[in-house]
């Protein structure tokens, strides 16, 4: 916060423009129902049926940007946060909104407990080489 010569305070920097608090973008929400399933490497993909998200006036500019970014190339939650310069918690809420609206879907990574054991893969390779 800066003060001008007359003692008034300003909530913006002339070079940076007005400051918008992250919770304002999420309408005060700090979590979303799907948030617990969105880790940093979860990949967000735009749904193929989505034409132009700018036509939907219920979406914020951040929602529109996320859909546009994920349309050509799937993006991880971490990449979206970095590109949008937003905290990951805010990105998770915004992505959750888009999942609810069926504008994007999320591909979650396979948990390590569900990965195939390396010894099984080696046995399969050995078996294939024996053929």
């Amino acid at each position: 916060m800066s003060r001008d010569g007359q003692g008034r305070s300003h909530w913006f920097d002339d070079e940076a423009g007005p400051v918008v608090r992250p919770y304002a973008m999420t309408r005060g929400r700090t979590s979303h129902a799907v948030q617990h399933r969105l880790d940093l490497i979860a990949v967000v993909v735009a749904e193929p049926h989505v034409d132009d998200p700018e036509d939907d006036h219920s979406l914020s500019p951040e929602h529109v940007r996320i859909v546009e970014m994920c349309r050509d190339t799937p993006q991880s939650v971490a990449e979206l946060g970095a590109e949008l310069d937003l905290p990951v918690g805010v990105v998770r809420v915004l992505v959750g909104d888009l999942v609810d609206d069926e504008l994007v879907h999320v591909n979650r990574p396979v948990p390590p407990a569900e990965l195939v054991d390396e010894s099984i893969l080696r046995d399969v390779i050995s078996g294939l080489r024996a053929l």
Side-chain angles (χ1 to χ4, degrees):
M1 179 170 72
S2 65
R3 298 201 179 269
D4 62 12
Q6 300 169 348
R8 295 180 296 206
S9 62
H10 295 283
W11 287 96
F12 60 89
D13 178 340
D14 290 335
E15 293 177 18
V19 175
V20 176
R21 301 283 182 216
Y23 64 83
M25 291 178 209
T26 62
R27 296 183 296 273
R29 296 171 296 141
T30 57
S31 64
H32 195 279
V34 298
Q35 181 175 354
H36 69 279
R37 297 182 307 228
L38 294 178
D39 59 8
L40 292 175
I41 59 173
V43 177
V44 182
V45 181
E47 292 291 352
H49 65 53
V50 177
D51 294 324
D52 189 6
E54 288 184 10
D55 292 341
D56 187 345
H57 299 293
S58 67
L59 297 177
S60 71
E62 292 78 19
H63 285 115
V64 171
R65 182 86 170 104
I66 290 171
V67 174
E68 289 174 346
M69 288 174 61
C70 298
R71 179 177 288 151
D72 296 327
T73 306
Q75 304 281 323
S76 72
V77 171
E79 290 171 320
L80 291 171
E83 183 68 28
L84 296 170
D85 196 25
L86 292 173
V88 172
V90 171
V91 173
R92 286 177 173 160
V93 173
L94 297 173
V95 168
D97 294 342
L98 294 170
V99 168
D100 286 349
D101 292 342
E102 299 179 354
L103 298 173
V104 301
H105 68 273
V106 177
N107 295 328
R108 291 168 187 82
V110 176
E114 294 179 18
L115 292 175
V116 177
D117 186 21
E118 185 178 334
S119 63
I120 294 173
L121 293 175
R122 290 183 193 276
D123 291 343
V124 169
I125 291 172
S126 296
L128 290 173
R129 286 186 179 150
L131 293 175

